[in-house]
Amino acid sequence: MVGKRFISIGLIVLIFMSILGGCEKSPSSETASQKELFKIGITQLIEHPALDSSRKGFIDALKSKGFKDGKNIDIDFQNAQGDIPTAEIIGKNFVSQNKDLILAIATPSAQSAYNATKDIPILITAVTDPVKSGLVKAMDKSDTNVTGTSDAMPIDKQFHMIKKLIPKAKKVGILYNTSEINSEIQVNRAKKTANDLDLEIITTGVTNINEVSQSLDALLNKVDVLYTPTDNLVASAMPLIFSKSIKKNIPIIGAEKAHVEGGALSTEGIDYYKLGHKTGLMAVEIIEGKNPKDMPIATLDDTQSIINLKVAKKLNIEIPKDILDSSIIIEGGK
């Protein structure tokens, strides 16, 4: 009887120890589970409303399909603060960290990511011309590890807006960053469109934010209207650009909604949230096994006219009723 009692006690001790052992192993099991998260690195050139909206749309699209940060995906957001060398470091770091997918927001960030890896899938957004930027072979099939969405603007519609709202305008000024190929592409398209509409383009190039003020002063003395492209440096300087333009009584036609919210008179543009959302849905396809090289670059077909009535009143510009009736109206703003 005594022997059996010792055996029973021994069994109880063994069972108890095994339970404890199981409890001790559970944290390592959680770690293993965490390692299964799909790792997404987001590299963004600079923070401003358009790029921020595209990032939010991207994340919201993932959520809509059941992919949530910390649950089944791990999102690592890095901002280059407008510095291209920093964007290059971010791209290289994402590669060394073995990210499963990279989202690159804006052309310089996309180029930096592509320079860092030809293997990890890269999604791009807020890139005007992925082909001329050297990111993909063709719009209908990338044939590289890059795909995503283009924010190519309807510059023809925007310049027709100039003719409708400021019919006496003859000279259109464009301030742009000479370091951004995205901006150079827009300037060339603007010149072609302006020529068809009997408008003269006067450009001023800058390389950093410190050059904007003096360059803008000189440009505003030569033009009747200012056009602001989807240039990341220009976007970050919009408060200054608006302030100087309004003092000179020079209207601004912007390339996108955030420009109008920042003080431009109007735009005919796309919704960057929708653009990012579309990119997020493409990310889901890649997560589920699709190869970027077989995917086309997507664009948004729908555009919207936006008018800042407060700015129109300051500039004593009367907006035609047909444009008012078909536009999104911003009453406040700057």
Side-chain angles (χ1 to χ4, degrees):
M1 290 291 291
V2 174
K4 289 182 179 179
R5 188 178 300 162
F6 279 133
I7 292 170
S8 299
I9 293 171
L11 287 171
I12 291 170
V13 170
L14 285 172
I15 292 168
F16 184 70
M17 290 295 290
S18 67
I19 292 171
L20 283 178
C23 291
E24 288 172 357
K25 290 180 181 178
S26 59
S28 63
S29 298
E30 290 175 3
T31 303
S33 176
Q34 289 171 356
K35 287 180 180 177
E36 293 172 5
L37 295 177
F38 191 90
K39 297 181 294 183
I40 300 174
I42 299 180
T43 171
Q44 183 171 319
L45 181 65
I46 194 169
E47 288 187 274
H48 64 66
L51 302 189
D52 295 345
S53 293
S54 64
R55 185 179 78 246
K56 186 177 187 306
F58 176 84
I59 294 171
D60 286 352
L62 287 169
K63 285 181 182 177
S64 73
K65 297 298 183 179
F67 294 97
K68 297 181 180 179
D69 189 23
K71 181 182 176 183
N72 45 14
I73 59 173
D74 176 66
I75 295 177
D76 181 1
F77 169 58
Q78 299 291 326
N79 173 21
Q81 301 291 347
D83 185 62
I84 294 177
T86 301
E88 292 171 351
I89 291 171
I90 292 170
K92 290 175 182 176
N93 286 343
F94 282 168
V95 174
S96 66
Q97 293 162 5
N98 295 315
K99 299 297 186 189
D100 298 303
L101 174 70
I102 296 173
L103 169 68
I105 305 175
T107 302
S109 290
Q111 290 172 320
S112 296
Y114 185 54
N115 289 338
T117 179
K118 302 296 186 290
D119 299 313
I120 297 173
I122 299 172
L123 275 168
I124 59 172
T125 191
V127 173
T128 299
D129 194 326
V131 177
K132 287 186 178 178
S133 299
L135 299 167
V136 302
K137 300 290 179 63
M139 294 289 282
D140 59 345
K141 183 181 178 183
S142 83
D143 207 28
T144 68
N145 61 318
V146 179
T147 189
T149 57
S150 164
D151 65 349
M153 291 293 156
I155 291 177
D156 56 336
K157 292 182 180 180
Q158 293 165 352
F159 271 64
H160 275 94
M161 186 76 76
I162 292 174
K163 299 292 286 186
K164 290 178 182 177
L165 299 181
I166 314 112
K168 294 182 179 180
K170 293 295 181 183
K171 297 181 179 181
V172 181
I174 303 179
L175 181 75
Y176 74 103
N177 182 1
T178 56
S179 300
E180 283 196 41
I181 189 171
N182 164 63
S183 302
E184 291 183 4
I185 291 168
Q186 290 177 84
V187 168
N188 290 333
R189 289 178 179 173
K191 287 179 178 178
K192 183 179 183 305
T193 301
N195 186 59
D196 295 338
L197 296 174
D198 197 27
L199 292 169
E200 179 185 351
I201 296 292
I202 300 175
T203 62
T204 296
V206 294
T207 58
N208 61 67
I209 196 74
N210 297 323
E211 297 176 4
V212 171
S213 182
Q214 187 174 349
S215 298
L216 186 62
D217 286 338
L219 181 62
L220 291 175
N221 288 327
K222 304 174 185 175
V223 301
D224 305 307
V225 60
L226 188 69
Y227 175 73
T228 51
T230 56
D231 180 301
N232 295 294
L233 191 154
V234 169
S236 64
M238 272 308 293
L240 174 64
I241 293 170
F242 168 70
S243 175
K244 286 183 173 290
S245 298
I246 204 78
K247 286 177 183 177
K248 291 278 189 178
N249 210 42
I250 301 293
I252 302 169
I253 300 298
E256 49 104 357
K257 181 181 178 182
H259 293 183
V260 182
E261 294 172 335
L265 172 65
S266 73
T267 190
E268 174 87 22
I270 63 171
D271 187 321
Y272 273 82
Y273 176 86
K274 290 181 180 178
L275 190 73
H277 196 277
K278 196 163 194 172
T279 315
L281 296 179
M282 296 175 77
V284 173
E285 293 185 75
I286 292 173
I287 291 172
E288 293 177 346
K290 202 159 187 179
N291 194 322
K293 74 181 184 68
D294 299 321
M295 300 171 69
I297 296 293
T299 57
L300 289 183
D301 296 326
D302 56 321
T303 61
Q304 181 64 60
S305 171
I306 303 169
I307 303 290
N308 189 321
L309 275 187
K310 186 175 181 179
V311 171
K313 290 173 183 176
K314 283 185 178 181
L315 295 171
N316 295 314
I317 293 176
E318 185 174 348
I319 309 297
K321 188 176 183 304
D322 62 319
I323 294 178
L324 281 176
D325 291 343
S326 60
S327 301
I328 295 174
I329 304 300
I330 297 175
E331 295 281 359
K334 302 291 183 182

